[in-house]
Amino acid sequence: MRIAAISAAALLATAALAGCSSSDEPEAVGGMTECTMDALAGPADEAAKALGADNAYALDGVDCSDGWAVTSGTLGAEGSDMGAPTTFIFQAEGQFWIPKTQDQVCGTPNADEPDAVPADAEIPADLYTAGCLT
């Protein structure tokens, strides 16, 4: 009988705590990511490897805005001194940087104003040139 009383009390406490949530938005599990070269080095290297298993990416810089990042660096074969300037676009989701392609986030360019940020672009306007026009 004593075990039943303890179990009932625990069940009531759990139900009371479940009702305490005041936010409709889910919390990010594990925190939020940071927009730093260290935080983006791994995702950028993974993005390079997704283009070819022997690829290496020498990260030179990161530009960030409103949960988005554009990395700049040199993409080349692993162990090679040669490569091509390359940018990768990422969107923050909780503690992760999710790679995005230009097709996914840069919108539909206007032929009359090729440098203008399209109305349907998802990437922030201040990252559009770095992420979409390179």
Side-chain angles (χ1 to χ4, degrees), residues 11-113:
L11 186 60
L12 286 173
T14 301
L17 286 175
C20 288
S21 177
S22 62
S23 174
D24 291 336
E25 294 183 29
E27 288 187 38
V29 177
M32 299 299 289
T33 191
E34 296 178 352
C35 194
T36 63
M37 285 184 59
D38 285 342
L40 281 148
D45 193 50
E46 289 175 22
K49 298 272 188 226
L51 296 175
D54 293 333
N55 283 344
Y57 188 65
L59 181 63
D60 295 327
V62 175
D63 292 312
C64 303
S65 180
D66 297 326
W68 290 81
V70 175
T71 64
S72 57
T74 304
L75 178 67
E78 206 167 307
S80 173
D81 291 336
M82 298 174 64
T86 304
T87 60
F88 290 114
I89 302 169
F90 298 92
Q91 183 178 23
E93 288 187 16
Q95 65 182 0
F96 303 103
W97 284 108
I98 307 302
K100 300 291 182 169
T101 65
Q102 289 178 338
D103 289 341
Q104 291 173 315
V105 301
C106 292
T108 308
N110 181 342
D112 295 331
E113 296 180 69

